[in-house]
Amino acid sequence: MLKKWAIVFALVSTIVKCETGNLEDRTTLPKYPNTSLEKVIQLDRPPGNISVSASGRIFFSFFPQGSPPIKVAELKNGQVLPFPNQNFQKNFNTVLSVRVDDKNRLWTLDYGNLGLTRPKVYAFDIETGATIHEYEFPISIAPKDSLFNDMQIDTVTETIFITDTSPLIPDPGLVIYDISNKKARRLLKDHVSVVGERNEIVVNGSPFQVAGVSIIFNADSIALDQNREWLYFAPFTSGELYRAKTSVLRDSTLTAAQLAAQVEQYSLKSMSDGISIDKSGNIYVTDAEHSAVNLIDPDKKITTLFKDPSFRWPDGFSYSPDGYMYLTCSALNEVFLQTDNTILSKGPYYIYRFKPEAEGIIGR
């Protein structure tokens, strides 16, 4: 399967001959020393995304390259435990995004191996481990080569907002899923807010390529503000962050043009994987190119909080009731489409935590 995707990259590169550029380095001198970013746990495989519950329970995914025996895990007393149990792991294919909501539900988003199988969302009661929701996205919503990357949950309207980065044969967008009615829609096809700029990813001076092809990651970063009024989102390889009102995104009566007119360019940013927003309106941005964590304040000024080459591809955030922001580093540039042996040889991998600038939103 890994060889198959390498061939796809090579074929796409011969069909689409577009020059790539480079996004300027928008990091600053780091505000804090790297020792302020605490190691929470060392892992033999890279973590994907992370989410912490109101009671402080820590859930995360293992990055779904290779053959991780645990795909969705809970970190408990320094031990990594399969969630909801080991037997259920066989139901997961390629889970990347995990989110605990304020109703004590853990949501998992399975991108179905780039659409080769059906992408699926599950919800679990975190107290009992019982499966309380399941939905399989049809091919009209999740076509082949889709990659449902990350999500945010609005528990007031029971809506899930999903980014589809679609890196191979690009058709990115936002997906809006109505939990109560089990209905999904794709939005913003070909819009600048979901289509990545053709900037080459250069990680600490080394280009990130597969089969000699520079990868363009599209819609990726996603964050929901405290009042669930604004959804912030952006392509990975773009230098801009966008936002739209959640009420607008949920409005199925709008035409594509009417919806597009409501999307705002919010600020500049670095190349970004995970983002999070605190209660003071600060937006935390992982910067994989420069092994950094940046912050966009309400005045839209970018400040680097941490920066060190040892932070290999900062990836996903989650705020915790202990007052820390948790952070995964997935080393994606070293493990994307690699074999299991290669992934294991490049360990260890880490989950970190740090004190954010203001109180965050638990689980996000």
Side-chain angles (χ1 to χ4, degrees):
M1 187 57 65
L2 299 180
K3 182 178 179 182
K4 180 262 189 189
W5 287 123
I7 292 171
V8 169
F9 271 109
L11 288 174
V12 170
S13 71
T14 63
I15 297 169
V16 182
K17 291 290 186 180
C18 296
E19 294 297 322
T20 56
N22 294 104
L23 187 64
E24 64 180 346
D25 183 354
R26 291 173 175 163
T27 60
T28 65
L29 288 175
K31 185 175 180 179
Y32 302 109
N34 62 6
T35 53
S36 297
L37 198 57
E38 303 175 21
K39 290 178 180 176
V40 176
I41 191 168
Q42 175 178 306
L43 303 165
D44 62 353
R45 295 174 181 272
N49 284 334
I50 190 165
S51 190
V52 186
S53 76
S55 61
R57 294 174 65 180
I58 302 170
F59 301 92
F60 68 97
S61 62
F62 277 96
F63 200 82
Q65 302 294 321
S67 305
I70 298 175
K71 299 181 180 181
V72 177
E74 179 176 5
L75 179 59
K76 189 173 184 178
N77 299 323
Q79 292 190 311
V80 176
L81 306 175
F83 187 88
N85 52 58
Q86 185 61 56
N87 186 54
F88 198 91
Q89 301 301 306
K90 66 180 183 296
N91 294 295
F92 298 130
N93 185 339
T94 43
V95 174
L96 186 53
S97 184
V98 293
R99 296 286 176 192
V100 182
D101 68 20
D102 55 15
K103 294 182 177 180
N104 275 333
R105 300 176 297 190
L106 174 67
W107 294 88
T108 64
L109 182 63
D110 192 320
Y111 63 76
N113 195 19
L114 299 166
L116 291 178
T117 64
R118 288 295 81 221
K120 182 178 286 190
V121 65
Y122 285 107
F124 303 93
D125 181 324
I126 65 170
E127 299 303 325
T128 66
T131 305
I132 54 178
H133 191 91
E134 178 180 351
Y135 179 75
E136 186 174 277
F137 293 92
I139 197 165
S140 59
I141 301 297
K144 287 184 178 179
D145 307 309
S146 63
L147 197 164
F148 282 13
N149 184 282
D150 205 351
M151 63 179 166
Q152 291 289 335
I153 320 296
D154 178 352
T155 57
V156 173
T157 62
E158 288 288 88
T159 305
I160 303 179
F161 302 95
I162 299 168
T163 50
D164 179 2
T165 195
S166 187
L168 300 183
I169 303 175
D171 184 19
L174 282 187
V175 171
I176 310 300
Y177 176 58
D178 181 333
I179 296 169
S180 300
N181 295 313
K182 289 194 167 185
K183 291 184 178 179
R185 296 183 296 126
R186 285 186 71 91
L187 307 177
L188 297 174
K189 181 178 176 62
D190 298 327
H191 193 266
V192 65
S193 65
V194 298
V195 177
E197 296 170 1
R198 293 199 61 82
N199 290 314
E200 183 177 40
I201 303 170
V202 181
V203 181
N204 297 318
S206 298
F208 175 25
Q209 297 182 335
V210 173
V213 182
S214 294
I215 302 168
I216 305 300
F217 286 132
N218 301 296
D220 188 312
S221 309
I222 187 168
L224 185 63
D225 74 359
Q226 180 182 7
N227 298 319
R228 304 174 178 86
E229 180 183 8
W230 291 98
L231 186 76
Y232 295 81
F233 54 98
F236 182 101
T237 53
S238 294
E240 291 79 32
L241 178 65
Y242 298 86
R243 72 174 187 175
K245 287 194 172 182
T246 55
S247 58
V248 170
L249 295 170
R250 294 194 312 271
D251 188 348
S252 61
T253 68
L254 296 178
T255 66
Q258 288 171 331
L259 174 60
Q262 296 294 314
V263 176
E264 302 178 7
Q265 182 180 328
Y266 177 74
S267 70
L268 297 179
K269 69 171 184 67
S270 56
M271 287 198 192
S272 58
D273 205 331
I275 61 174
S276 184
I277 186 168
D278 67 26
K279 292 182 178 180
S280 295
N282 299 301
I283 298 174
Y284 302 80
V285 180
T286 57
D287 182 342
E289 280 200 301
H290 305 103
S291 299
V293 175
N294 298 322
L295 180 136
I296 303 169
D297 68 22
D299 294 325
K300 303 177 184 178
K301 177 185 175 182
I302 299 175
T303 300
T304 297
L305 301 181
F306 307 97
K307 183 178 180 180
D308 190 280
S310 66
F311 307 143
R312 297 188 296 160
W313 198 286
D315 201 321
F317 292 112
S318 179
Y319 184 71
S320 169
D322 62 10
Y324 284 93
M325 186 77 80
Y326 284 71
L327 168 69
T328 59
C329 286
S330 66
L332 177 62
N333 57 308
E334 299 178 19
V335 304
F336 188 61
L337 296 183
Q338 295 301 311
T339 65
D340 213 45
N341 286 339
T342 298
I343 291 167
L344 290 170
S345 72
K346 292 183 178 295
Y349 306 89
Y350 295 95
I351 294 175
Y352 299 88
R353 70 177 186 176
F354 63 93
K355 289 286 188 179
E357 302 298 281
E359 184 180 358
I361 306 163
I362 292 172
R364 299 186 206 169

